[in-house]
PDB file of all heavy atoms in Angstrom:
ATOM      1  N   GLY A 243      76.032 266.703 168.752  1.00 92.00           N
ATOM      2  CA  GLY A 243      74.811 265.992 169.110  1.00 92.00           C
ATOM      3  C   GLY A 243      74.674 264.612 168.495  1.00 92.00           C
ATOM      4  O   GLY A 243      73.588 264.041 168.478  1.00 92.00           O
ATOM      5  N   TRP A 244      75.769 264.070 167.971  1.00 91.00           N
ATOM      6  CA  TRP A 244      75.693 262.743 167.348  1.00 91.00           C
ATOM      7  C   TRP A 244      75.469 261.684 168.411  1.00 91.00           C
ATOM      8  O   TRP A 244      76.081 261.715 169.478  1.00 91.00           O
ATOM      9  CB  TRP A 244      76.950 262.450 166.541  1.00 91.00           C
ATOM     10  CG  TRP A 244      77.067 263.378 165.381  1.00 91.00           C
ATOM     11  CD1 TRP A 244      77.891 264.464 165.299  1.00 91.00           C
ATOM     12  CD2 TRP A 244      76.311 263.352 164.181  1.00 91.00           C
ATOM     13  NE1 TRP A 244      77.688 265.110 164.105  1.00 91.00           N
ATOM     14  CE2 TRP A 244      76.719 264.454 163.392  1.00 91.00           C
ATOM     15  CE3 TRP A 244      75.318 262.509 163.682  1.00 91.00           C
ATOM     16  CZ2 TRP A 244      76.181 264.715 162.149  1.00 91.00           C
ATOM     17  CZ3 TRP A 244      74.788 262.783 162.428  1.00 91.00           C
ATOM     18  CH2 TRP A 244      75.216 263.869 161.682  1.00 91.00           C
ATOM     19  N   MET A 245      74.608 260.752 168.109  1.00 88.00           N
ATOM     20  CA  MET A 245      74.278 259.681 169.050  1.00 88.00           C
ATOM     21  C   MET A 245      74.885 258.370 168.568  1.00 88.00           C
ATOM     22  O   MET A 245      74.960 258.130 167.360  1.00 88.00           O
ATOM     23  CB  MET A 245      72.762 259.542 169.166  1.00 88.00           C
ATOM     24  CG  MET A 245      72.098 260.788 169.726  1.00 88.00           C
ATOM     25  SD  MET A 245      70.311 260.630 169.843  1.00 88.00           S
ATOM     26  CE  MET A 245      69.838 260.876 168.129  1.00 88.00           C
ATOM     27  N   PRO A 246      75.302 257.542 169.506  1.00 85.00           N
ATOM     28  CA  PRO A 246      75.828 256.235 169.103  1.00 85.00           C
ATOM     29  C   PRO A 246      74.743 255.427 168.396  1.00 85.00           C
ATOM     30  O   PRO A 246      73.561 255.551 168.709  1.00 85.00           O
ATOM     31  CB  PRO A 246      76.208 255.559 170.425  1.00 85.00           C
ATOM     32  CG  PRO A 246      76.260 256.654 171.424  1.00 85.00           C
ATOM     33  CD  PRO A 246      75.343 257.728 170.946  1.00 85.00           C
ATOM     34  N   LYS A 247      75.144 254.648 167.441  1.00 81.00           N
ATOM     35  CA  LYS A 247      74.223 253.759 166.725  1.00 81.00           C
ATOM     36  C   LYS A 247      74.165 252.442 167.483  1.00 81.00           C
ATOM     37  O   LYS A 247      75.180 251.950 167.970  1.00 81.00           O
ATOM     38  CB  LYS A 247      74.708 253.536 165.301  1.00 81.00           C
ATOM     39  CG  LYS A 247      73.745 252.707 164.457  1.00 81.00           C
ATOM     40  CD  LYS A 247      74.183 252.665 163.021  1.00 81.00           C
ATOM     41  CE  LYS A 247      73.841 253.895 162.260  1.00 81.00           C
ATOM     42  NZ  LYS A 247      72.460 254.196 162.017  1.00 81.00           N
ATOM     43  N   GLU A 248      72.966 251.911 167.584  1.00 78.00           N
ATOM     44  CA  GLU A 248      72.784 250.636 168.267  1.00 78.00           C
ATOM     45  C   GLU A 248      72.256 249.614 167.277  1.00 78.00           C
ATOM     46  O   GLU A 248      71.255 249.842 166.610  1.00 78.00           O
ATOM     47  CB  GLU A 248      71.789 250.804 169.417  1.00 78.00           C
ATOM     48  CG  GLU A 248      72.274 250.152 170.682  1.00 78.00           C
ATOM     49  CD  GLU A 248      71.360 250.433 171.856  1.00 78.00           C
ATOM     50  OE1 GLU A 248      71.484 251.514 172.451  1.00 78.00           O
ATOM     51  OE2 GLU A 248      70.546 249.548 172.154  1.00 78.00           O
ATOM     52  N   ILE A 249      72.950 248.499 167.189  1.00 74.00           N
ATOM     53  CA  ILE A 249      72.521 247.388 166.336  1.00 74.00           C
ATOM     54  C   ILE A 249      72.467 246.146 167.215  1.00 74.00           C
ATOM     55  O   ILE A 249      73.454 245.787 167.846  1.00 74.00           O
ATOM     56  CB  ILE A 249      73.478 247.195 165.141  1.00 74.00           C
ATOM     57  CG1 ILE A 249      73.454 248.457 164.264  1.00 74.00           C
ATOM     58  CG2 ILE A 249      73.107 245.958 164.337  1.00 74.00           C
ATOM     59  CD1 ILE A 249      74.356 248.424 163.070  1.00 74.00           C
ATOM     60  N   GLU A 250      71.292 245.552 167.256  1.00 79.00           N
ATOM     61  CA  GLU A 250      71.068 244.360 168.083  1.00 79.00           C
ATOM     62  C   GLU A 250      71.465 244.623 169.545  1.00 79.00           C
ATOM     63  O   GLU A 250      72.045 243.768 170.213  1.00 79.00           O
ATOM     64  CB  GLU A 250      71.850 243.163 167.537  1.00 79.00           C
ATOM     65  CG  GLU A 250      71.454 242.745 166.144  1.00 79.00           C
ATOM     66  CD  GLU A 250      70.086 242.077 166.080  1.00 79.00           C
ATOM     67  OE1 GLU A 250      69.722 241.379 167.032  1.00 79.00           O
ATOM     68  OE2 GLU A 250      69.396 242.271 165.073  1.00 79.00           O
ATOM     69  N   GLY A 251      71.201 245.841 170.011  1.00 79.00           N
ATOM     70  CA  GLY A 251      71.479 246.195 171.403  1.00 79.00           C
ATOM     71  C   GLY A 251      72.931 246.524 171.703  1.00 79.00           C
ATOM     72  O   GLY A 251      73.296 246.782 172.838  1.00 79.00           O
ATOM     73  N   LEU A 252      73.767 246.540 170.692  1.00 77.00           N
ATOM     74  CA  LEU A 252      75.198 246.801 170.866  1.00 77.00           C
ATOM     75  C   LEU A 252      75.534 248.152 170.241  1.00 77.00           C
ATOM     76  O   LEU A 252      75.218 248.409 169.075  1.00 77.00           O
ATOM     77  CB  LEU A 252      76.001 245.692 170.178  1.00 77.00           C
ATOM     78  CG  LEU A 252      77.505 245.698 170.353  1.00 77.00           C
ATOM     79  CD1 LEU A 252      77.890 245.460 171.808  1.00 77.00           C
ATOM     80  CD2 LEU A 252      78.123 244.617 169.479  1.00 77.00           C
ATOM     81  N   LYS A 253      76.153 249.056 171.014  1.00 81.00           N
ATOM     82  CA  LYS A 253      76.566 250.355 170.477  1.00 81.00           C
ATOM     83  C   LYS A 253      77.797 250.155 169.604  1.00 81.00           C
ATOM     84  O   LYS A 253      78.761 249.514 170.014  1.00 81.00           O
ATOM     85  CB  LYS A 253      76.859 251.332 171.610  1.00 81.00           C
ATOM     86  CG  LYS A 253      75.611 251.758 172.343  1.00 81.00           C
ATOM     87  CD  LYS A 253      75.903 252.786 173.397  1.00 81.00           C
ATOM     88  CE  LYS A 253      74.605 253.196 174.072  1.00 81.00           C
ATOM     89  NZ  LYS A 253      74.814 254.163 175.122  1.00 81.00           N
ATOM     90  N   VAL A 254      77.727 250.711 168.389  1.00 78.00           N
ATOM     91  CA  VAL A 254      78.788 250.486 167.401  1.00 78.00           C
ATOM     92  C   VAL A 254      79.278 251.806 166.816  1.00 78.00           C
ATOM     93  O   VAL A 254      78.598 252.822 166.883  1.00 78.00           O
ATOM     94  CB  VAL A 254      78.300 249.560 166.257  1.00 78.00           C
ATOM     95  CG1 VAL A 254      77.932 248.186 166.779  1.00 78.00           C
ATOM     96  CG2 VAL A 254      77.144 250.191 165.497  1.00 78.00           C
ATOM     97  N   ASP A 255      80.461 251.777 166.220  1.00 83.00           N
ATOM     98  CA  ASP A 255      81.006 252.903 165.474  1.00 83.00           C
ATOM     99  C   ASP A 255      80.340 252.917 164.097  1.00 83.00           C
ATOM    100  O   ASP A 255      80.030 251.866 163.544  1.00 83.00           O
ATOM    101  CB  ASP A 255      82.516 252.728 165.248  1.00 83.00           C
ATOM    102  CG  ASP A 255      83.306 252.528 166.530  1.00 83.00           C
ATOM    103  OD1 ASP A 255      82.903 253.050 167.566  1.00 83.00           O
ATOM    104  OD2 ASP A 255      84.342 251.839 166.468  1.00 83.00           O
ATOM    105  N   TYR A 256      80.155 254.123 163.548  1.00 82.00           N
ATOM    106  CA  TYR A 256      79.585 254.195 162.201  1.00 82.00           C
ATOM    107  C   TYR A 256      80.060 255.445 161.475  1.00 82.00           C
ATOM    108  O   TYR A 256      80.404 256.442 162.083  1.00 82.00           O
ATOM    109  CB  TYR A 256      78.054 254.152 162.236  1.00 82.00           C
ATOM    110  CG  TYR A 256      77.381 255.342 162.885  1.00 82.00           C
ATOM    111  CD1 TYR A 256      76.885 256.399 162.123  1.00 82.00           C
ATOM    112  CD2 TYR A 256      77.214 255.404 164.269  1.00 82.00           C
ATOM    113  CE1 TYR A 256      76.253 257.482 162.720  1.00 82.00           C
ATOM    114  CE2 TYR A 256      76.580 256.481 164.878  1.00 82.00           C
ATOM    115  CZ  TYR A 256      76.100 257.512 164.089  1.00 82.00           C
ATOM    116  OH  TYR A 256      75.481 258.589 164.689  1.00 82.00           O
ATOM    117  N   TYR A 257      80.090 255.311 160.145  1.00 82.00           N
ATOM    118  CA  TYR A 257      80.440 256.438 159.289  1.00 82.00           C
ATOM    119  C   TYR A 257      79.194 257.268 159.001  1.00 82.00           C
ATOM    120  O   TYR A 257      78.120 256.727 158.774  1.00 82.00           O
ATOM    121  CB  TYR A 257      81.043 255.958 157.967  1.00 82.00           C
ATOM    122  CG  TYR A 257      82.404 255.340 158.140  1.00 82.00           C
ATOM    123  CD1 TYR A 257      82.578 253.964 158.086  1.00 82.00           C
ATOM    124  CD2 TYR A 257      83.508 256.143 158.376  1.00 82.00           C
ATOM    125  CE1 TYR A 257      83.831 253.402 158.252  1.00 82.00           C
ATOM    126  CE2 TYR A 257      84.772 255.584 158.542  1.00 82.00           C
ATOM    127  CZ  TYR A 257      84.916 254.208 158.482  1.00 82.00           C
ATOM    128  OH  TYR A 257      86.157 253.659 158.646  1.00 82.00           O
ATOM    129  N   GLN A 258      79.359 258.573 159.037  1.00 87.00           N
ATOM    130  CA  GLN A 258      78.277 259.511 158.737  1.00 87.00           C
ATOM    131  C   GLN A 258      78.836 260.544 157.771  1.00 87.00           C
ATOM    132  O   GLN A 258      80.044 260.723 157.681  1.00 87.00           O
ATOM    133  CB  GLN A 258      77.806 260.189 160.028  1.00 87.00           C
ATOM    134  CG  GLN A 258      76.655 261.150 159.868  1.00 87.00           C
ATOM    135  CD  GLN A 258      75.373 260.456 159.415  1.00 87.00           C
ATOM    136  OE1 GLN A 258      74.912 259.514 160.043  1.00 87.00           O
ATOM    137  NE2 GLN A 258      74.819 260.928 158.313  1.00 87.00           N
ATOM    138  N   TYR A 259      77.963 261.205 157.048  1.00 89.00           N
ATOM    139  CA  TYR A 259      78.408 262.290 156.189  1.00 89.00           C
ATOM    140  C   TYR A 259      77.362 263.386 156.166  1.00 89.00           C
ATOM    141  O   TYR A 259      76.186 263.159 156.454  1.00 89.00           O
ATOM    142  CB  TYR A 259      78.669 261.797 154.761  1.00 89.00           C
ATOM    143  CG  TYR A 259      77.415 261.549 153.959  1.00 89.00           C
ATOM    144  CD1 TYR A 259      76.871 262.552 153.165  1.00 89.00           C
ATOM    145  CD2 TYR A 259      76.755 260.329 154.014  1.00 89.00           C
ATOM    146  CE1 TYR A 259      75.713 262.345 152.439  1.00 89.00           C
ATOM    147  CE2 TYR A 259      75.602 260.113 153.297  1.00 89.00           C
ATOM    148  CZ  TYR A 259      75.079 261.119 152.511  1.00 89.00           C
ATOM    149  OH  TYR A 259      73.920 260.910 151.803  1.00 89.00           O
ATOM    150  N   LEU A 260      77.805 264.578 155.838  1.00 93.00           N
ATOM    151  CA  LEU A 260      76.932 265.709 155.557  1.00 93.00           C
ATOM    152  C   LEU A 260      77.413 266.299 154.245  1.00 93.00           C
ATOM    153  O   LEU A 260      78.606 266.561 154.067  1.00 93.00           O
ATOM    154  CB  LEU A 260      77.007 266.766 156.656  1.00 93.00           C
ATOM    155  CG  LEU A 260      76.443 266.370 158.017  1.00 93.00           C
ATOM    156  CD1 LEU A 260      76.710 267.477 159.032  1.00 93.00           C
ATOM    157  CD2 LEU A 260      74.955 266.079 157.927  1.00 93.00           C
ATOM    158  N   THR A 261      76.495 266.491 153.312  1.00 93.00           N
ATOM    159  CA  THR A 261      76.818 267.143 152.047  1.00 93.00           C
ATOM    160  C   THR A 261      76.123 268.494 152.029  1.00 93.00           C
ATOM    161  O   THR A 261      74.915 268.574 152.243  1.00 93.00           O
ATOM    162  CB  THR A 261      76.362 266.296 150.842  1.00 93.00           C
ATOM    163  OG1 THR A 261      77.095 265.076 150.843  1.00 93.00           O
ATOM    164  CG2 THR A 261      76.616 267.032 149.529  1.00 93.00           C
ATOM    165  N   TYR A 262      76.906 269.512 151.812  1.00 94.00           N
ATOM    166  CA  TYR A 262      76.386 270.874 151.749  1.00 94.00           C
ATOM    167  C   TYR A 262      76.261 271.258 150.271  1.00 94.00           C
ATOM    168  O   TYR A 262      77.258 271.289 149.546  1.00 94.00           O
ATOM    169  CB  TYR A 262      77.330 271.838 152.465  1.00 94.00           C
ATOM    170  CG  TYR A 262      77.550 271.468 153.914  1.00 94.00           C
ATOM    171  CD1 TYR A 262      78.672 270.736 154.305  1.00 94.00           C
ATOM    172  CD2 TYR A 262      76.639 271.840 154.895  1.00 94.00           C
ATOM    173  CE1 TYR A 262      78.879 270.393 155.631  1.00 94.00           C
ATOM    174  CE2 TYR A 262      76.836 271.504 156.229  1.00 94.00           C
ATOM    175  CZ  TYR A 262      77.949 270.779 156.587  1.00 94.00           C
ATOM    176  OH  TYR A 262      78.153 270.430 157.901  1.00 94.00           O
ATOM    177  N   LYS A 263      75.039 271.532 149.843  1.00 95.00           N
ATOM    178  CA  LYS A 263      74.811 271.984 148.471  1.00 95.00           C
ATOM    179  C   LYS A 263      75.028 273.490 148.449  1.00 95.00           C
ATOM    180  O   LYS A 263      74.424 274.227 149.232  1.00 95.00           O
ATOM    181  CB  LYS A 263      73.391 271.645 148.023  1.00 95.00           C
ATOM    182  CG  LYS A 263      73.109 272.022 146.588  1.00 95.00           C
ATOM    183  CD  LYS A 263      71.719 271.598 146.170  1.00 95.00           C
ATOM    184  CE  LYS A 263      71.470 271.966 144.713  1.00 95.00           C
ATOM    185  NZ  LYS A 263      70.098 271.578 144.310  1.00 95.00           N
ATOM    186  N   ILE A 264      75.904 273.932 147.553  1.00 93.00           N
ATOM    187  CA  ILE A 264      76.267 275.344 147.470  1.00 93.00           C
ATOM    188  C   ILE A 264      75.660 275.946 146.200  1.00 93.00           C
ATOM    189  O   ILE A 264      75.861 275.424 145.103  1.00 93.00           O
ATOM    190  CB  ILE A 264      77.809 275.521 147.426  1.00 93.00           C
ATOM    191  CG1 ILE A 264      78.510 274.697 148.516  1.00 93.00           C
ATOM    192  CG2 ILE A 264      78.188 276.992 147.481  1.00 93.00           C
ATOM    193  CD1 ILE A 264      78.142 275.059 149.915  1.00 93.00           C
ATOM    194  N   GLU A 265      74.910 277.022 146.383  1.00 94.00           N
ATOM    195  CA  GLU A 265      74.349 277.766 145.249  1.00 94.00           C
ATOM    196  C   GLU A 265      74.665 279.240 145.449  1.00 94.00           C
ATOM    197  O   GLU A 265      74.339 279.807 146.484  1.00 94.00           O
ATOM    198  CB  GLU A 265      72.839 277.554 145.156  1.00 94.00           C
ATOM    199  CG  GLU A 265      72.449 276.130 144.794  1.00 94.00           C
ATOM    200  CD  GLU A 265      70.950 275.930 144.689  1.00 94.00           C
ATOM    201  OE1 GLU A 265      70.196 276.433 145.552  1.00 94.00           O
ATOM    202  OE2 GLU A 265      70.554 275.254 143.728  1.00 94.00           O
ATOM    203  N   ASP A 266      75.323 279.821 144.447  1.00 94.00           N
ATOM    204  CA  ASP A 266      75.732 281.220 144.505  1.00 94.00           C
ATOM    205  C   ASP A 266      76.521 281.547 145.766  1.00 94.00           C
ATOM    206  O   ASP A 266      76.348 282.607 146.378  1.00 94.00           O
ATOM    207  CB  ASP A 266      74.525 282.149 144.379  1.00 94.00           C
ATOM    208  CG  ASP A 266      73.858 282.043 143.017  1.00 94.00           C
ATOM    209  OD1 ASP A 266      74.587 281.854 142.022  1.00 94.00           O
ATOM    210  OD2 ASP A 266      72.617 282.144 142.955  1.00 94.00           O
ATOM    211  N   GLY A 267      77.368 280.600 146.197  1.00 92.00           N
ATOM    212  CA  GLY A 267      78.249 280.810 147.336  1.00 92.00           C
ATOM    213  C   GLY A 267      77.616 280.566 148.695  1.00 92.00           C
ATOM    214  O   GLY A 267      78.276 280.705 149.719  1.00 92.00           O
TER     215      GLY A 267
END
């Protein structure tokens, strides 16, 4: 479901991250 990022009306590539916090597995 990731959507393209738009900057100044131009669709661009971008870096994204997800950090999963793990507690007790």
